[in-house]
């Protein structure tokens, strides 16, 4: 069945890969992102199955107005993929920028809440829908320099599980997608303030996951039979594993 899928952060990384994958799967995609020129390029590439929608998820009023501003034929959103998110900095907490912390909370936490608050009621009313939240392995496994990024993703994971608790008894599904090391996207370049060399070093000597791998996982969870709900899906590349607890020896 062709679904109408709204993807936030649709012009880069996971979001763009998902948009491409979902269109290839025969679905329609409302591609939401801040950068209108990139949205137009995506639509030029993928055609009429894509509706570009310029949106900043941190703008609560704009997100609240979104359902009413969609063209009538696109108003019944079957799947919301809360993908927009970012990491900023990898310095230890005592050296981190407060502005970076605020920005991560604004996008990863508040932006995701705004989108969910705007679209969930209609899903419950129709008794049909699926929210896919893009969290991270950082939600569960701490690492030095992860502080607010990891904590914001813990929010995403726990929020997903709590949404599921409220939605049991309805046909609305919730999935928390938790990718580990993923290369080939803007993620690390953004984290390191545009330093592509430092970003590249994160993936040196590894075979990381790709954005297409994450799109594959998202495609799988949304195309499952309606009675199947994947609550949490943790995905790492083969070369990655949760580490041991740190012990500092004298
Ligand atoms: C991305 C994974 O390890 O960079 O969310 O935090 S990690």
């Amino acid at each position: 069945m062709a679904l109408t899928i709204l993807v936030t952060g649709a012009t880069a990384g996971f979001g763009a890969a998902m948009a491409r994958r979902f269109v290839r799967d025969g679905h329609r995609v409302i591609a939401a992102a801040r950068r209108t020129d990139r949205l137009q390029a995506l639509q030029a590439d993928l055609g009429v199955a894509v509706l570009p929608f310029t949106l900043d998820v941190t703008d609560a009023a704009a997100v609240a107005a979104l359902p009413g501003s969609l063209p009538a034929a696109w108003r019944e959103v079957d799947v919301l993929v809360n993908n927009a998110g970012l990491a900023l900095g990898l310095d230890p907490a005592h050296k981190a920028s407060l502005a970076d912390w605020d920005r991560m909370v604004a996008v990863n936490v508040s932006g995701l809440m705004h989108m969910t608050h705007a679209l969930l009621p209609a899903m419950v009313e129709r008794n049909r829908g699926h929210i896919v939240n893009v969290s991270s392995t950082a939600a569960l496994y701490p690492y030095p320099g992860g502080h607010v990024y990891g904590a914001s993703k813990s929010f995403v994971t726990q929020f997903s599980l709590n949404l599921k608790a409220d939605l049991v008894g309805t046909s609305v599904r919730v999935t928390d997608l938790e990718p580990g090391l993923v290369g080939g996207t803007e993620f690390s370049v953004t984290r390191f303030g545009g330093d592509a060399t430092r970003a590249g070093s994160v993936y040196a000597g590894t075979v990381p996951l790709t954005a297409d791998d994450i799109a594959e996982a998202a495609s799988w969870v949304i195309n499952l039979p309606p009675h199947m709900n994947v609550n949490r899906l943790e995905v790492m590349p083969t070369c990655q594993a949760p580490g041991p607890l740190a012990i500092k020896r004298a």
Side-chain angles (χ1 to χ4, degrees):
M1 179 184 128
L3 301 168
T4 300
I5 306 174
L6 194 156
V7 181
T8 64
T11 55
F14 302 171
M18 286 185 207
R20 286 176 204 288
R21 175 59 189 254
F22 295 156
V23 168
R24 213 174 78 213
D25 288 347
H27 304 306
R28 301 191 309 168
V29 173
I30 302 167
R34 283 175 308 159
R35 294 173 284 198
T36 306
D37 52 334
R38 287 201 184 195
L39 283 171
Q40 279 161 354
L42 190 71
Q43 191 197 29
D45 210 12
L46 297 177
V48 293
V50 168
L51 176 73
F53 198 98
T54 305
L55 184 72
D56 179 348
V57 295
T58 68
D59 182 342
V63 175
L66 177 144
S69 20
L70 291 170
W74 292 80
R75 285 209 180 146
E76 291 201 0
V77 176
D78 298 300
V79 183
L80 165 63
V81 182
N82 277 316
N83 164 71
L86 80 172
L88 293 171
L90 199 61
D91 288 332
H94 51 282
K95 293 185 180 164
S97 145
L98 185 58
D100 284 353
W101 282 7
D102 281 338
R103 178 79 187 144
M104 287 188 277
V105 170
V107 180
N108 302 2
V109 176
S110 300
L112 186 138
M113 288 191 321
H114 298 158
M115 291 301 301
T116 305
H117 193 265
L119 291 169
L120 183 59
M123 288 184 180
V124 173
E125 203 165 301
R126 288 196 301 274
N127 198 28
R128 194 180 77 245
H130 195 158
I131 294 184
V132 178
N133 287 332
V134 178
S135 181
S136 166
T137 49
L140 190 62
Y141 308 111
Y143 57 81
H147 39 78
V148 168
Y149 176 70
S152 73
K153 292 301 186 177
S154 296
F155 172 90
V156 174
T157 296
Q158 194 61 21
F159 184 53
S160 304
L161 296 176
N162 279 305
L163 285 174
K164 188 72 186 76
D166 284 343
L167 294 169
V168 70
T170 78
S171 298
V172 180
R173 300 188 285 181
V174 182
T175 298
D176 192 61
L177 189 53
E178 301 162 19
L181 189 73
V182 184
T185 75
E186 291 177 353
F187 178 83
S188 286
V189 180
T190 302
R191 169 170 250 173
F192 298 128
D195 185 339
T197 308
R198 192 171 171 205
S201 70
V202 173
Y203 311 99
T206 73
V207 181
L209 298 172
T210 65
D212 285 343
D213 296 331
I214 305 310
E216 170 82 24
S219 169
W220 178 67
V221 300
I222 67 171
N223 287 302
L224 288 169
H227 68 285
M228 286 182 71
N229 190 101
V230 176
N231 295 342
R232 295 181 51 222
L233 183 58
E234 180 183 299
V235 189
M236 290 183 186
T238 310
C239 65
Q240 189 178 32
L245 295 176
I247 300 173
K248 188 74 181 169
R249 302 184 192 278

